[in-house]
Amino acid sequence: MKLLIASDIHGAAGYCRQLLDAWDREGADRLLLLGDVLYHGPRNDLPPDYAPKEVIALLNARKDKIFCVRGNCDTEVDQMVLEFPILADYAVFTAGQRLVYATHGHVYNTAHLPPLQAGDILLHGHTHVPAWQAFGNDNYYLNPGSTSIPKENSAHGYMTLKDGVFTWKTLDGEKYHEVKVCPAPAKNKA
C-alpha cells in the first residue's frame, strides 16, 4: 500500500487541487491529512486561493480514501461539512515493524512526546517545515511540511510512504529527500 501524507492545507483550494493531482500521479491508495484543513488560522497570512468551500467539495469527493487527525485550526464546525472524520487527536498505524504515531504537532511533538517506545515514529505537521530527525532510542520525527503555507523557505509539498520508505516531494512531484525506516533494527530479546 502507498500512502500520501500532507498537512496544513489551510483552506487553499489551488494547493488542494495540486495535492489531489499529486495523489493521482503518485497512484497512492490513501491520503493521510495531518490537520489544519479548512481554516488559515490567526497566525498565518491568508493563503493564495483561499476558498474553504472549494476544499470541502474537493476532499469530500474522495472521502472514502482519506483519514485525518485534528489540527489546532480544525473545529466541530469543520466536521459538520467534511464527510470524513477529522477530530481524532492522533492515528496509529504500522510501517513494517515500526509503529507510527500521527498527530498534528500542536500537542504532541518532540518537546512533548506521546507514549512512544523504542523504534516508534512521531509523524506530525503544524510547523510548516519538513523534517526528518532521528532521536531517542531509534525513534524518528518526520514532518511533510505544508501544502499551502510552507515556512523557512521550504517547498509546497507532501510525502509518501511505501515499503518502509518516506519520500518528501514538492507539489510538482520533485523528490528532495528520502528516509528508509523499515525494517527496524532487531531488538534484543531477554
Side-chain angles (χ1 to χ4, degrees):
M1 174 182 275
K2 187 174 187 179
L3 187 62
L4 190 99
I5 304 165
S7 190
D8 299 280
I9 296 171
H10 288 290
Y15 289 116
C16 184
R17 278 191 286 281
Q18 288 181 49
L19 178 65
L20 298 180
D21 289 345
W23 187 3
D24 293 339
R25 184 178 61 245
E26 293 284 349
D29 300 289
R30 298 214 179 233
L31 171 62
L32 167 58
L33 294 174
L34 298 176
D36 286 359
V37 178
L38 299 178
Y39 180 53
H40 70 285
R43 295 182 300 175
N44 297 310
D45 292 333
L46 199 64
D49 202 11
Y50 182 67
K53 289 181 181 177
E54 288 182 46
V55 172
I56 292 165
L58 290 165
L59 295 177
N60 281 345
R62 299 181 184 218
K63 64 185 176 189
D64 295 336
K65 295 190 178 224
I66 297 173
F67 65 113
C68 184
V69 296
R70 181 183 197 156
N72 59 306
C73 294
D74 299 322
T75 69
E76 288 82 5
V77 173
D78 299 336
Q79 184 62 84
M80 292 170 68
V81 296
L82 290 168
E83 298 172 0
F84 53 92
I86 68 161
L87 296 178
D89 289 325
Y90 62 91
V92 176
F93 59 96
T94 58
Q97 298 299 311
R98 293 184 184 267
L99 181 116
V100 178
Y101 190 101
T103 190
H104 181 63
H106 64 294
V107 175
Y108 291 114
N109 50 59
T110 56
H112 183 239
L113 293 172
L116 299 178
Q117 295 183 13
D120 290 347
I121 296 167
L122 174 61
L123 172 65
H124 73 70
H126 183 59
T127 65
H128 298 222
V129 179
W132 46 85
Q133 300 170 350
F135 73 95
N137 188 356
D138 191 35
N139 300 102
Y140 283 95
Y141 157 53
L142 307 176
N143 188 322
S146 175
T147 299
S148 68
I149 310 172
K151 296 184 178 176
E152 296 185 14
N153 296 313
S154 60
H156 298 267
Y158 62 93
M159 63 196 304
T160 60
L161 170 61
K162 183 171 179 165
D163 298 329
V165 178
F166 286 90
T167 305
W168 284 255
K169 295 184 178 184
T170 67
L171 284 178
D172 293 331
E174 180 184 337
K175 177 177 127 177
Y176 64 91
H177 194 73
E178 188 171 274
V179 172
K180 183 175 182 180
V181 297
C182 297
K187 295 181 175 134
N188 294 335
K189 294 184 180 181

